[in-house]
Amino acid sequence: MGFEPRIVGFLCNWCSYTGADLAGTSRIPYSPSIRVIRVMCSARVDPTFVLRCLSEGADGVLVCGCHPGDCHYSEGNYKALRRMALLKRLVRDFGIEEERVRLEWVSASEGKRFADVVDDMTRKIRDLGPSKVRAVLAADRAER
Amino acid sequence: MAIRANPRLIEELELYGAEDVSKCYHCGNCSAVCPFSRDPFLFPRKSMRYLQMGLEEKLKGNLDPWLCYYCGECSDECPRDAEPGETMMSLRRWLTSQYDFTGISRLFYRSWKIESAAILLVAALTGLGFWLFGSSVGSLGVYDGPGAFFPSSAIHKFDWALGFLLAGLLLVNCARMWWFSIGRDPKLRIPVSAYVRRLFLLPFHFFTQDRYRQCEKKRPWAIHLVLMLSYLTMLVLIMFFLHLVQSGPEIDWRVHAFGYLATAGLLGTTAFALYGRIRKTETHYKHSHESDWIFLILLGYVAGTGIVQHVLHRAGLNTAANITYLAHMMGVVPMLGLEVPFSKWAHLAYRPLAMYFSALQEEAMEARGRASEETARLRAA
Amino acid sequence: MGGNGKIGVFFCLEGTDTPPELNLEEVARYARNLESVVRVEVMGTRPRLDPETLAPDLKRAGIETVVVAGDSPGHFKQAFVRALALNGANPEEVRLASFREHGTVPGKLTERAKAIVACAVRDVPFGLAAVPKPVPVHPVTVVIGGGIAGIQASLEIADAGQKVILVEKSGTIGGHMAMFDKTFPTLDCAACILTPKMVAVAQHSMIDLMTYSEVQEIAGSSGAFRVKILKKARYVDPDACVACHACRDVCPISIPSEFDSGITTRKAIYMPFPQAVPNSYLIDAESCTYILSDGKKCGACLTKCAKDGIHLDEKDTVVEVEAGNIVVATGYDIFDASRIERYGYGTLPNVLTALEFERLTNASGPTGGTIVLKSKKYNKRKKAEEWVFDAEGPRPKSVVIIHCVGSRDARYNPYCSRVCCMYSLKFAHLVREKLPDAACYEFYIDMRAFGKGYEDFFERIKHEQVFVVRGRSAKVTEKDGGMVVKGEDILNDRLMELPVDMVILSVGLQPVADVESLARMFGIARDRDGWLTEMDYNLDPTATERGGIFLAGVCQGPKDIPDTVAQASAVAARILRSILSGKGQGSRADLTLEEIDARSRELAAR
Amino acid sequence: MGECRIGVYVCNCGTNIAKVVDCDAVARAAQALSGVVVARSYKYTCSTPGQETIVKDIQELGLDRVVVAACSPRMHEPTFRRALQTAGINPYFLEMANIREQCSWVHSDPRAATEKAVDLMRAAVRRVVWHEPLEKRYVDMCRTTLVLGGGIAGLTAALEIAEAGKPVVLVEKRDRLGGNVARVDLTAPYLDSARDMLRDRMEQVRKHPMIQVLLESELEALEGYVGNFKAHIRTKEGPFDTPAGAVVVCTGYQEFDASRVEHYGYGRLPNVITSFELEQMLRQGRLLTREGKPPRCVALIHCVGSRSPEYHSYCSRVCCMTALKYGHEIKSALPRCYVYDLYIDMHAFGKGCEDFYRRTAEMKTMFLMYEKGDLPRIEPAGDGDGGGMLIRIHEKLSGEDIEVPADLVVLMVGMEPREDAARVARLVNISQDKDGWFIESHPKLDPVATTTDGIFIAGACQAPKGIPGSVAQASAASARILAKLAHEKIEVDAVFAEVDDNLCSGCRMCNELCPYTAIEYDATRKRSQVISALCKACGCCVAACPSGAIKGRHFTDRQITAQIEGVLEWASSQG
């Protein structure tokens, strides 16, 4: 079996998580590569969380929030947007492909879209191959 | 090219008895329960649809009503009481009036007053004519032989003359039926061979009423068959053996046996039908158009007077016999003269014809289907 | 309020809803004596009115204001409106006196009709004139029926801290919804959304739940009812029972399970279904050998119960409770498909009703949710072959779903049952999902997908290669072992004769069998389809003429789950408002002609 | 704090989960995790016996943490929290792993799905270790209710609440009450008078001492939270502020703009009108063409803007019956006029509707069925066509191409969300579905509540509906509110942010960030502090605080990192 990426998804409780649930209730299949962590708002996603995921060996991190203007907390998603922009640059400097970190808007009614996003990201990362960090981690374990 | 819908038609058909057709919401139940409905002749639903939308031309060329024998299944099963069976019946009436080029039939169906008036008029004329004729050639006291009030030879001639006239009228109507259903449709190309091959259908269905037999209820068919055969027997007797029929007073079993059977058949069935229509025993008796009543009464009358005058003659009461005979003729002439070409009795010709034509239509359609497949295949290759 | 000039009162009957005991002549006579009425005419049933001829007629009489009175006078309004317009009079001056809308009081229709006409003549909305005096209200509410409607209403009221007595006929609450597998259009499982509510009811401190009980009699008047409730003996102590199933295993009697709508069997001592609330066994006295033989035979279960929770000597008891308000949520029965012989239900084994299929496809059903055909099995006890569902049984290759079974049909139920189209689509989806290689056909008349997200669901089904055939199929016949469904495919102009293995009949909803006696007990009228009649179709879909008695859910007319829930909550609002304000709604049925007449004069004077 | 005793419950949800995920395997995996005392797989964990097992285990095995791997927490978190409470431990010691909506329902490969389920379960176990006991807070409930919209739904909601003796502020944009119903004369299917009905309601509302009606007014802003909203309303007299305990949104619908369907030439062809225009004509008894002649034939076209891919995919629910009503009214106004009714499916589903459909058919309305995609075409007619226009339609029930003459064409325009729906949604903080209707908190069991506590929706702003439906919903919403008002105080969620004074540097970065101005700066102590009642726990500030001084209760950094480690244990354990 080929390489199956492991993606961590941070979904905002009001739009994206509901959207993901909708994908479920409407039985829209997508890749099992993603592991979802629920946060109240995309603005809660502390950049360090993303870095933590990567350092724990995640092949990608997906952050989803409400569409601009729809945020349950009026403008949390804008803040997420700004943070992610900076974060991406940081990630690049670490030598990790920035495609591994992704921010998407998924509304409560967009089950299909959520599925598409996950599939698309999985495909892209599959092409990128496993995250370098994994190799490092493996090496560490070897040393111990 | 789009066809123009005509909301007035449904109003007109009300006069022919189709009062409930507007209730239909097209669940398709009726077509599905009908034992006769099959591709490409789907009815009654489709005819009801054409009627609701007033597609007059479509309906004119539509043979479906003739393919229905009103077993009543559809009406019983109709979820909206739209009476598909009765609608088909009304369409038959309407079609009859369409085939008829004189327009008389139309008058009759739309107003029973006119029809009965016409009947009475013809009856009066017949009465007068025969009276004058009779008294000129013989005397009221004599029934048979020389000096007879109604010499069989003369009546015979008259019958034939009338026969030819009616046949003529009916033929023209049949021709129109052909034109509406086949002739005018450029898509239906039917080779002469087909016409010949299928010709047997005419006598077959005429004599056996085979299709009627296929209805789930058998009784109506049986009754109809008896009526039809009795009528035929009578017709044959009169057209070919009138002199024997009229001769007497002693009974000539060779002909009279048949006469009695036929009369019995006619009277019995008529009585049954009248009873049924009054009591509404069967679905197809529930709704009675005025024309149905008139027809039944006439038939009963004619058969009745016929047998009475016969009996009187045997009883030697010649004068009475002659008078009844006159009365009989006053029934016969309007019945044949008006009912056959212009009213209910035309179906005697239309039904077998419909079987014949529909068979031809189907053949033609299949042929066309095959042809189109062929071309499709060639295009593909 | 408005309304001047000479008034003409015209009685036009629509004929569909005219109750026989209405004496029109008397009403007409009454109308003649009303102020400024110059003309009263009884035009009969469905009169053919022509404005062109009406106009001069009205002009001659100098009539500028018309009151159209009848069971459903709106049908004739336009003719008069145009007639007035032709006369150059004010077309807005046509008023309706609708007996159907305001007059559904058994017994006193003529009196009520008079009042309605009087209000119309004075241009006073009947609703404003006929206001019963508020009554003091007892804080306890009795809810009759433990389906989703009853559950919702009870919870709403109890959450507001008011006492509720929930009376349920069967051994558990949950009603029909508990039997469903998934709910359209979202397809979330019914159990998942219903069971928490059932649990909440059981746990709620303000609800006392009386299952296996029936309301026998309602005395007293609005605000202060005395309700007699028959508590049928359960023979099993719900507090003791821990649902260990030990008793069930030894019970020799097995009869068709109501909850599985007869496709499986249950014992004489049984739990309606695993998530039943209360989660306890009960014994059905009609089939228990021990009870039928007054303790001479059997009694096997007695010894098996570790907690001695079974008391076969328990007797029915009658309790009487005081209540201020009563909620009727008695729900519906499903149409008996065997009434339509040509569908072969009852004779052909694999012709199922919707509810049977619902159970078959349900995860907690006999086959764990796999859709199979019935197969012949030898029943040792009965010593006979019988058709049963077996998880290993053959899977159907083609399934036909027939809509409108018993609905939209003059010979059975003339009305549309509202939910069948959608649940049929749901079935189609389930069939395609669980049996990808099985063909699925839907025979429908009109696809009534009207609710939020319904249309999209319909589109989705079409994309799942379900063959939707417009045309009600006419008959199901047996043909060498298999079945053949005959129907017209109207849109493709052909007759279909499909060989199929399974037929699902989308049976409609109809009033419960004992609705007649219920209606009498509550003193509420029924409409011509048999459903209980609300106070006002538009404005007051939940209240009734009998103050303090409210309708929730399908007992008032077919509804889907969202509408039922909304209505149930609406009832709660009515009741809470009466309790919180201390002003109970009096009974409009008790208002006399004089009272209404006087009040309308008052209002007209303003 | 490693030594907690955790119970893990893997729900099969009938077969909903078990059919794809190997629940027993998940349970076994749970057993192996540190701190897990018991792990069970069960058919319906949400059922009474299911919950009882949990309670029993807590009491008998002394569990202090519970993980339920089942459906979405949006569904059953409250249920299981209640179970923990009954068992006597803090409800917040629960964590759910969503292995249905986000696993078994979307994945088909059992191996991968099970693997994922295990990861999610593990994450939950790791997280729950760090859960802290939280206490619910109770706040005062303001007695006043704010109703937005003076249509039939608004009027009903206002009355229901006011009748219970609670004050109501009713805000209506227009200069009169009644909304869209005021434009209707008779209502289908019984042809009752909408006018009388509305007069009845409006009289009562106007006269009611408990209801304050604000006409020509609009909600400008809404602050606060359930029980303690503060509404800023712009009235024609100027700004008006009112506190409110709850809000009922009854903003209704607007008619679809027929001119969008150019195909039908509304606005171009003089005698093509909308249903509402026809309503007016009928009302005035002047059913005439633009030329001033009574029409000889009228065509009603259904589903204009509804059930169509390019406009609105949904069915507007009321148009079919309205069309039947018009068919009926036209016939009685002009007995010699012919009516054509062009429809797709006849939605006559309510009480008495089928009967009315039949009645209209008996009046010889000609029903013509057209295909969803293939709309009728309207063309100017020549003379002798017996009508001003010709309508061409491919009639499905006959399979023929038909043309019918028409002097007047009536477009049955559907319903659509008001153009300011989005604005309202943002103001009161609720979401809209893809069509723009407001989203209810649960389509089946909670059709009037929304995701925002204290905000309710009723009537056609939630989805197209008729009068009875709107009325029922309005009452339903009031029931919820009355239930809340019945109690002195109401519960608000225990989840909010708090500042650790020892860590806060007083940089005030958070103060600007907070969308609810819930963080204030205490100049004396030089510290920021959160006004918990205003905090909605978005966690924005938590993420932003440079010194990590702000803790988002129930979403602490520690909890989330634990979760991260949980899902990634597998990944990090292999190269």
Side-chain angles (χ1 to χ4, degrees), chain D residues 346-384:
Chain D
M346 192 58 74
H347 285 187
F349 52 82
K351 202 175 182 177
C353 291
E354 187 68 36
D355 196 49
F356 188 64
Y357 177 21
R358 179 173 192 224
R359 177 80 170 90
T360 316
E362 283 169 1
M363 294 180 92
K364 299 208 173 45
T365 306
M366 189 190 288
F367 292 100
L368 300 168
M369 187 192 209
Y370 68 92
E371 173 81 48
K372 215 169 164 186
D374 159 23
L375 304 179
R377 294 190 309 289
I378 306 173
E379 298 163 2
D383 357 336

Side-chain angles (χ1 to χ4, degrees), chain A residues 135-144:
Chain A
V136 180
L137 289 170
D140 292 359
R141 266 200 307 283
E143 279 170 31
R144 281 193 235 103

Side-chain angles (χ1 to χ4, degrees), chain C residues 347-363:
Chain C
T347 54
L348 300 171
N350 285 307
V351 177
L352 311 180
T353 65
L355 214 47
E356 287 170 348
F357 182 78
E358 200 70 68
R359 292 309 304 156
L360 175 62
T361 183
N362 192 311

Side-chain angles (χ1 to χ4, degrees), chain C residues 315-529:
Chain C
K315 294 271 163 288
D316 297 1
T317 53
V318 176
V319 292
E320 183 167 307
V321 298
E322 297 268 318
N325 294 293
I326 296 174
V327 180
V328 183
T330 47
Y332 60 92
D333 285 351
I334 67 164
F335 173 78
D336 170 14
S338 59
R339 281 175 62 195
I340 310 181
E341 280 128 9
R342 44 173 227 284
Y343 285 144
Y345 175 73
T347 54
L348 300 171
N350 285 307
V351 177
L352 311 180
T353 65
L355 214 47
E356 287 170 348
F357 182 78
E358 200 70 68
R359 292 309 304 156
L360 175 62
T361 183
N362 192 311
S364 63
T367 62
T370 41
I371 300 172
V372 295
L373 295 169
K374 277 187 186 158
S375 37
K376 261 211 170 76
K377 275 264 156 27
Y378 184 74
N379 179 327
K380 284 172 226 59
R381 190 176 289 99
K382 291 213 194 93
K383 300 199 172 32
E385 294 243 301
E386 59 182 7
W387 291 95
V388 292
F389 285 108
D390 166 17
E392 302 315 308
R395 309 268 190 276
K397 283 268 157 293
S398 68
V399 179
V400 161
I401 304 171
I402 301 176
H403 288 228
C404 298
V405 175
S407 307
R408 302 187 68 186
D409 191 325
R411 295 155 306 153
Y412 307 105
N413 297 329
Y415 53 85
C416 160
S417 290
R418 195 168 185 172
V419 292
C420 325
C421 279
M422 286 311 293
Y423 76 58
S424 305
L425 290 176
K426 177 188 75 181
F427 288 167
H429 167 80
L430 292 173
V431 171
R432 294 290 301 151
E433 181 189 55
K434 295 185 172 182
L435 307 166
D437 53 356
C440 184
Y441 301 82
E442 296 235 11
F443 283 86
Y444 73 101
I445 305 176
D446 289 288
M447 194 59 81
R448 291 178 171 173
F450 51 82
K452 196 177 189 178
Y454 293 6
E455 187 72 24
D456 298 346
F457 189 69
F458 180 26
E459 285 305 312
R460 176 175 162 199
I461 298 304
K462 284 201 216 145
H463 290 119
E464 289 173 352
Q465 290 91 37
V466 172
F467 304 101
V468 281
V469 182
R470 200 219 184 260
R472 164 194 275 192
S473 80
K475 55 173 116 173
V476 183
T477 44
E478 187 155 20
K479 198 166 179 189
D480 38 58
M483 293 184 286
V484 174
V485 171
K486 191 178 176 203
E488 185 183 7
D489 178 356
I490 293 174
L491 302 187
N492 297 314
D493 188 19
R494 60 179 175 175
L495 214 60
M496 294 185 99
E497 285 194 74
L498 289 171
V500 299
D501 323 331
M502 180 182 275
V503 175
I504 305 170
L505 303 177
S506 298
V507 287
L509 317 181
Q510 62 189 30
V512 287
D514 57 348
V515 67
E516 180 74 67
S517 54
L518 282 174
R520 213 175 301 109
M521 180 167 71
F522 301 128
I524 312 173
R526 298 193 297 141
D527 69 9
R528 44 201 294 273
D529 298 329

Side-chain angles (χ1 to χ4, degrees), chain D residues 196-207:
Chain D
D196 294 358
M197 191 175 89
L198 213 52
R199 259 175 66 199
D200 176 331
R201 275 280 138 100
M202 293 195 293
E203 285 290 321
Q204 295 187 46
V205 168
R206 274 204 215 84
K207 283 212 232 77

Side-chain angles (χ1 to χ4, degrees), chain C residues 93-108:
Chain C
E93 278 305 324
V94 179
R95 304 166 191 163
L96 300 182
S98 168
F99 305 155
R100 202 215 92 267
E101 187 182 0
H102 307 300
T104 47
V105 206
K108 46 198 290 191

Side-chain angles (χ1 to χ4, degrees), chain B residues 2-5 7-8 10-11 14 22-23 25-26 45-46 49-50 52-53 55 58 80-81, chain D residues 338 340 354 357-358 361-362 364 366-368 385 390 392 395 397-398 400-405:
Chain B
I3 322 167
R4 174 68 56 86
R8 289 164 197 79
I10 195 169
E11 288 167 0
E14 266 189 2
S22 56
K23 290 179 190 168
Y25 65 10
H26 301 276
R45 199 210 112 247
K46 202 133 190 238
R49 189 57 185 158
Y50 288 152
Q52 281 185 331
M53 293 165 55
L55 308 187
K58 280 251 166 219
R80 263 204 177 179
D81 302 331
Chain D
Y338 294 107
Y340 308 96
E354 187 68 36
Y357 177 21
R358 179 173 192 224
E362 283 169 1
K364 299 208 173 45
M366 189 190 288
F367 292 100
L368 300 168
D385 275 331
L390 273 187
R392 297 180 186 281
E395 206 287 327
L397 295 177
S398 60
E400 304 292 339
D401 289 318
I402 300 300
E403 59 180 31
V404 290

